[in-house]
Amino acid sequence: MITADLLGIESRSIFVIDKAFAKKDYVPLDLSKDNKVLRSVDVASSDKLGEYVNEQIQLKGGKIAFGGYLETRNIYQRSAYFNQKTLPEDERNIHLGVDIWVEAGTNVLAALDGEVHSFNNNLNHGDYGPTIILKHSQGDFCYYTLYGHLSEESLLELKIGKRFKQGEAIAQLGSSEVNGDYPPHLHFQIILDIENYLGDYPGVSSLKTLEFYKKNCPDPNLLLGLT
Ligand SMILES: [Zn+2]
């Protein structure tokens, strides 16, 4: 069982999006296949999905939306990248991070003190687009945080090993043109064992591999405290 203590975290109210948005501005967003309202939204269209997200934010009186850890979603059916399956249990549709929905250009902050492990522009349709992975050391124990769907400019000045302080801006959110064709949002994920990945790590699991990924990618709300 992964706890905040093991990760060396003193507070569950860490920010990964510009602190201009207070925690009270965050409202939950359900993008699961069980959300019946979503069945009438063309989720394959980033514009239509974006309209739905913004409507939900307004309806709930917030400024920014969040959600998605271990949510089973239909949205990935639009991408060949997620659909190289032959059996239903191989379908990759279970989300392993938290998504935070807010406009492009918004600052993304380092969750904790750390250094750049790797970065890459992941260009498959429905993929992360520009992505940064930070490495955090806690005694002998290392773990990682992944930030996906960033702007292309966010990667320009970056170097592996560059250090960031907790709360420092590491990037800005990208638009749908560069972020894998989604409404602007941050995909934020904790990764314990990064395996051999560089600038990328699965953010969506199939049912078959879920037991492994659930353990390797604990709930980001251990840090964010949004739920
Ligand atoms: Zn995501």
Side-chain angles (χ1 to χ4, degrees):
M1 175 71 185
I2 296 300
T3 62
D5 265 2
L6 182 64
L7 300 181
I9 302 157
E10 287 160 17
S11 154
R12 280 184 79 243
S13 56
I14 282 166
F15 286 81
V16 288
I17 288 289
D18 200 311
K19 290 181 189 173
F21 298 93
K23 290 286 162 103
K24 67 175 169 52
D25 298 327
Y26 285 69
V27 293
L29 180 70
D30 177 2
L31 294 183
S32 75
K33 66 179 179 50
D34 301 325
N35 179 352
K36 293 192 178 67
V37 181
L38 210 53
R39 288 175 197 167
S40 60
V41 177
D42 177 11
V43 296
S45 156
S46 54
D47 283 347
K48 297 286 181 215
L49 182 60
E51 282 169 21
Y52 176 76
V53 171
N54 288 329
E55 270 168 30
Q56 291 298 306
I57 292 173
Q58 276 172 15
L59 267 173
K60 292 172 182 169
K63 293 181 182 166
I64 183 167
F66 75 94
Y69 182 62
L70 301 187
E71 198 167 69
T72 302
R73 295 174 170 179
N74 284 332
I75 184 172
Y76 304 111
Q77 288 171 358
R78 68 180 184 151
S79 311
Y81 175 58
F82 290 106
N83 267 330
Q84 296 147 355
K85 50 140 184 155
T86 50
L87 297 167
E89 63 266 35
D90 291 330
E91 181 180 351
R92 289 178 63 205
N93 59 2
I94 306 169
H95 188 253
L96 297 169
V98 160
D99 287 326
I100 304 179
W101 305 82
V102 66
E103 66 187 347
T106 304
N107 276 334
V108 174
L109 314 180
L112 303 152
D113 291 359
E115 63 179 69
V116 175
H117 166 266
S118 54
F119 56 94
N120 190 44
N121 192 356
N122 297 294
L123 290 168
N124 294 297
H125 181 232
D127 209 338
Y128 292 128
T131 309
I132 298 174
I133 298 175
L134 296 185
K135 177 180 177 181
H136 311 287
S137 300
Q138 165 67 12
D140 292 340
F141 179 61
C142 286
Y143 63 101
Y144 305 83
T145 51
L146 180 147
Y147 309 78
H149 309 299
L150 308 174
S151 71
E152 290 177 327
E153 294 75 16
S154 301
L155 304 188
L156 290 180
E157 302 288 315
L158 216 53
K159 295 260 186 312
I160 288 173
K162 181 173 178 179
R163 298 198 67 82
F164 287 102
K165 288 298 210 187
Q166 182 178 41
E168 198 176 339
I170 61 169
Q172 285 75 41
L173 283 186
S175 65
S176 58
E177 286 79 22
V178 302
N179 79 351
D181 188 27
Y182 294 96
H185 71 287
L186 174 69
H187 176 100
F188 176 68
Q189 185 169 331
I190 302 173
I191 302 162
L192 301 183
D193 176 4
I194 194 84
E195 306 171 58
N196 293 318
Y197 284 92
L198 292 171
D200 193 15
Y201 192 81
V204 182
S205 173
S206 69
L207 202 53
K208 205 155 109 181
T209 55
L210 186 60
E211 275 313 301
F212 168 76
Y213 283 116
K214 246 172 31 180
K215 283 199 193 97
N216 200 39
C217 302
D219 187 347
N221 277 304
L222 277 173
L223 301 177
L224 304 179
L226 293 167
T227 53

